[in-house]
Amino acid sequence: MEIQLWRSILCPYELAVKELEVKFTHIIEECKENDIYCPIEQVEGRVKSVSSILEKMQRKHIPMEKMEEELEDIAGIRIICQFEEDIETVASMIQKRSDMTIKSEKNYLKHIKQSGYRSYHLIIYYTVDTINGPKKLQAEIQIRTMAMNFWATIEHSLQYKYKGDMPEHVAERLSNAADAINALDHEMSSVRNEIMDAQNSSQMQSNLVKDILINIENLYKIANKREIMKIQDEFLRVFRTKDLQQLKRFHRQLDIISEGYRAQAVYHHV
Ligand code: 0O2
């Protein structure tokens, strides 16, 4: 195949990778905007190099005319998560999307590879619009934790160095490192619950404060000013304690006071 032909074949894959990177990165931005925990930490993408395509086709005896059909990872996206639990969340996000369809999955978390490799792979169908019209192509999405990614990157370099003939002592060290990475992921998962708790509490505090301030502002229009000053001082005192339970109690009491004023207003009106 001529070099120019390679370029035109790979061009839609370049577009797919760019679009997918934007879409997954936007999820991170959307989560930040909405103050919620994001299961995606980082997104990377690449189009397989021509030499890597040729090597894989030779290894798998794939004829040229079957390249796009049988090489499922010409376009590749890697989604890095902080915690192992996030992988499933990301996979179900992908499943629900209307702009990509899942063709198949490989779960190397449940079925760890001989090498020690752990990751979750999805092959998707994705359509890009080119100057020749829409083109439906395949892309591989690898979802893994930061720790899994660290291991896979090192192992991949060593595979390249030893060209499939890795000395036993190196393979054994990598296998030990894979066990350590597995243990690290589990250890970090136990911290995850604490992080989620902290994030929920901070979200709850922010919502309570917002609510309280709206209430105080509304009361300011109808209640005695001196009473409002007292309520405001009490709010600042409770807020400074950093005690969520006290803030909740104050919020409830303020609700009752506001209700009373509303009832009073209706009573006077009648
Ligand atoms: P690249 O672009 O260099 O990453 P295979 O027959 O195993 O080569 P297959 O059948 O297409 O590949 O699917 P599989 O097993 O899901 O592997 C696809 C990709 O997963 C590989 O791409 C690697 O990126 C990654 N992978 C799979 N197994 C291992 C492993 O043991 N170690 C590491 N580091 N990565 C792995 P390629 O083809 O290697 O290309």
Side-chain angles (χ1 to χ4, degrees):
M1 208 182 304
E2 289 166 33
I3 192 78
Q4 209 50 38
L5 270 179
W6 274 111
R7 284 220 187 111
S8 61
I9 286 176
L10 297 183
C11 196
Y13 291 89
E14 300 274 2
L15 178 59
V17 167
K18 280 185 194 151
E19 286 188 10
L20 289 167
E21 276 184 303
V22 166
K23 288 180 178 185
F24 287 117
T25 306
H26 198 265
I27 294 178
I28 303 178
E29 282 153 23
E30 233 180 304
C31 287
K32 272 194 194 140
E33 205 56 51
N34 289 286
D35 253 350
I36 52 173
Y37 174 78
C38 188
I40 300 175
E41 176 65 19
Q42 198 189 323
V43 182
E44 296 168 0
R46 65 98 184 96
V47 173
K48 213 174 178 65
S49 67
V50 175
S51 75
S52 190
I53 290 176
L54 288 173
E55 182 278 315
K56 198 161 186 172
M57 284 170 71
Q58 196 179 1
R59 179 160 50 88
K60 296 199 160 195
H61 309 290
I62 299 170
M64 258 329 170
E65 64 277 13
K66 289 270 175 101
M67 181 182 88
E68 288 190 81
E69 190 186 323
E70 293 196 19
L71 271 195
E72 299 171 314
D73 67 340
I74 298 177
I77 293 290
R78 190 168 290 155
I79 298 179
I80 316 287
C81 310
Q82 291 190 60
F83 303 101
E84 204 168 327
E85 289 82 350
D86 300 337
I87 296 176
E88 211 182 302
T89 312
V90 174
S92 67
M93 272 175 157
I94 294 172
Q95 202 172 12
K96 286 185 203 126
R97 290 188 71 105
S98 59
D99 53 353
M100 44 193 95
T101 315
I102 295 175
K103 177 191 174 189
S104 61
E105 57 140 42
K106 280 184 188 167
N107 191 340
Y108 296 128
L109 303 172
K110 274 196 188 143
H111 311 286
I112 304 174
K113 273 198 162 185
Q114 180 84 36
S115 59
Y117 180 74
R118 288 191 309 137
S119 190
Y120 186 85
H121 294 188
L122 287 173
I123 303 298
I124 58 155
Y125 289 117
Y126 183 75
T127 303
V128 286
D129 282 303
T130 72
I131 49 170
N132 300 314
K135 180 177 168 73
K136 184 175 168 183
L137 44 78
Q138 308 186 72
E140 182 188 67
I141 304 180
Q142 301 183 341
I143 317 170
R144 51 171 85 148
T145 64
M146 292 158 104
M148 291 173 196
N149 193 45
F150 174 48
W151 183 92
T153 307
I154 302 293
E155 198 261 0
H156 196 272
S157 315
L158 288 172
Q159 287 282 9
Y160 186 78
K161 176 178 172 181
Y162 294 112
K163 298 189 173 53
D165 197 17
M166 199 181 289
E168 203 151 310
H169 72 278
V170 179
E172 199 183 317
R173 285 197 150 180
L174 276 171
S175 170
N176 292 341
D179 291 343
I181 290 286
N182 201 354
L184 175 68
D185 267 332
H186 285 130
E187 206 53 44
M188 294 310 270
S189 287
S190 63
V191 182
R192 180 181 189 263
N193 294 335
E194 299 219 358
I195 291 173
M196 298 297 271
D197 279 356
Q199 282 178 347
N200 283 344
S201 301
S202 134
Q203 187 59 44
M204 191 178 284
Q205 170 173 311
S206 139
N207 289 342
L208 282 171
V209 168
K210 206 160 99 187
D211 237 39
I212 288 169
L213 290 179
I214 290 174
N215 255 338
I216 291 179
E217 222 175 278
N218 287 338
L219 277 175
Y220 190 79
K221 293 173 196 150
I222 46 172
N224 177 293
K225 301 287 173 284
R226 203 178 280 166
E227 195 181 348
I228 297 300
M229 290 307 283
K230 267 207 279 187
I231 290 173
Q232 198 159 291
D233 287 348
E234 178 61 5
F235 162 64
L236 288 176
R237 190 196 64 75
V238 171
F239 183 76
R240 285 191 195 113
T241 64
K242 295 193 172 95
D243 182 342
L244 197 60
Q245 293 314 316
Q246 279 202 48
L247 199 65
K248 275 187 193 166
R249 263 200 305 278
F250 180 80
H251 178 261
R252 267 199 305 273
Q253 283 164 358
L254 192 61
D255 252 2
I256 294 168
I257 295 173
S258 300
E259 272 307 311
Y261 268 99
R262 245 165 260 142
Q264 223 178 24
V266 171
Y267 178 76
H268 284 309
H269 188 69
V270 170

